[in-house]
Amino acid sequence: MNCNKTIFVKLFLIFGILKSLAQVEMKPEQTEVWEPQPKIITPGFNNHQAPSDAIILFDGSSLENFTNLKGEPVKWNLKDGLLTVVKSMGDIISKKSFGSIQLHIEWRSPSMIEGEGQGRGNSGIFFQNEYEVQIQDNFNNKTYANGQAAAIYKQQPPLVNACRKPGEWQTYDIIYNAPKFYLDSTLASPARVTVIHNGVLVQNNYEIKGKTLWQGMPYYKAHGKAPIKIQEHGNPVSFRNIWVRELD
Ligand code: MG
């Protein structure tokens, strides 16, 4: 071994020993983070009801937080604390606009089974008015995989089909991260979505490819905060207990 090599090996060994000593000599407290402390909130009962920091969009008492697409009062059916889609009355949107959110929504397919495929128990939640998480009765009802319940419509099938029977209440807990755009309106980062259907992970941080389209390939068009839209697809799907937490 020549002299340069010997020096190099020695330095390498010394560096290694010093590094190990530094690890050992670090006190446990040096890797503790105390400030800021997370804000204290009160979780909702049974993990379904709204926590104390949620914005309640629908609690069964009124439709004051929604309008139809023309900005008029919602013409869906509000009865016994439930909101039910009425055919031909159009989609509804939240009055408030949102970016990234956590959403909880409970929905029920009609117990009277009517229609096949996309025609059975179809509705949907559009984040920022653009990106649909499908609602559909896919209990013994086959359709294209990327169009069934909990699919990112025409983009990504759910990891599993976690549908309950028609007439039974189902939950979506969704974490939606809004896309970001540069000042010149080009895409800086796409939207991402995680969906938990009836307690089961069905979309795992999926990167949304662009706005939901029935026909053609999805693409992004720059936008800011926007309402949540719930789809009227002709089927009397019911809803209850809708709340969001803003994540921006
Ligand atoms: Mg739909």
Side-chain angles (χ1 to χ4, degrees):
M1 200 178 280
N2 66 33
C3 186
N4 280 347
K5 260 191 181 170
T6 311
I7 290 167
F8 179 77
V9 170
K10 280 181 181 167
L11 282 174
F12 187 78
L13 285 172
I14 290 166
F15 179 74
I17 290 163
L18 286 174
K19 198 177 160 195
S20 306
L21 283 174
Q23 290 279 10
V24 170
E25 284 175 4
M26 241 184 128
K27 293 179 181 142
E29 293 78 8
Q30 287 179 276
T31 46
E32 292 173 0
V33 176
W34 282 76
E35 298 295 339
Q37 286 281 308
K39 183 180 154 195
I40 294 171
I41 65 149
T42 307
F45 175 72
N46 216 9
N47 299 341
H48 280 350
Q49 302 306 314
S52 58
D53 62 343
I55 296 168
I56 294 167
L57 291 183
F58 178 66
D59 65 0
S61 61
S62 89
L63 295 173
E64 65 182 359
N65 296 319
F66 290 92
T67 67
N68 69 12
L69 296 182
K70 295 176 190 159
E72 300 162 344
V74 172
K75 297 186 178 76
W76 294 7
N77 189 18
L78 173 61
K79 194 181 170 196
D80 299 331
L82 310 179
L83 173 62
T84 302
V85 175
V86 176
K87 191 174 181 175
S88 304
M89 288 297 137
D91 301 339
I92 66 170
I93 53 171
S94 62
K95 285 182 184 169
K96 184 172 167 60
S97 288
F98 297 97
S100 300
I101 54 169
Q102 174 186 352
L103 169 80
H104 175 90
I105 188 164
E106 298 174 25
W107 56 276
R108 186 178 70 180
S109 304
S111 52
M112 172 98 75
I113 297 172
E114 280 183 336
E116 292 297 326
Q118 292 288 310
R120 186 183 298 181
N122 193 333
S123 179
I125 304 152
F126 285 72
F127 290 86
Q128 297 194 295
N129 209 10
E130 298 279 16
Y131 316 104
E132 184 185 16
V133 174
Q134 175 72 300
I135 287 176
Q136 196 166 91
D137 174 13
N138 289 111
F139 187 88
N140 290 333
N141 178 37
K142 194 170 181 180
T143 185
Y144 40 95
N146 61 355
Q148 71 176 57
I152 309 308
Y153 184 74
K154 286 281 182 94
Q155 295 187 34
Q156 181 75 355
L159 295 168
V160 292
N161 179 342
C163 282
R164 295 193 200 281
K165 292 176 184 170
E168 293 184 5
W169 283 100
Q170 315 205 37
T171 58
Y172 278 166
D173 289 282
I174 300 176
I175 295 137
Y176 168 78
N177 284 296
K180 293 188 175 75
F181 299 92
Y182 293 116
L183 286 176
D184 69 357
S185 295
T186 56
L187 183 68
S189 62
R192 289 187 166 273
V193 67
T194 294
V195 180
I196 295 171
H197 182 192
N198 297 327
V200 179
L201 181 70
V202 288
Q203 296 287 350
N204 186 5
N205 196 30
Y206 175 71
E207 183 181 301
I208 295 175
K209 303 300 178 220
K211 65 187 290 180
T212 296
L213 294 172
W214 176 57
Q215 195 169 13
M217 299 305 289
Y219 62 90
Y220 276 103
K221 193 175 175 194
H223 61 80
K225 288 188 175 186
I228 296 167
K229 181 168 77 181
I230 306 179
Q231 185 184 45
E232 181 266 308
H233 203 283
N235 306 131
V237 178
S238 297
F239 297 93
R240 69 181 184 190
N241 198 21
I242 308 172
W243 51 263
V244 303
R245 296 178 63 247
E246 292 185 295
L247 304 178
D248 297 307

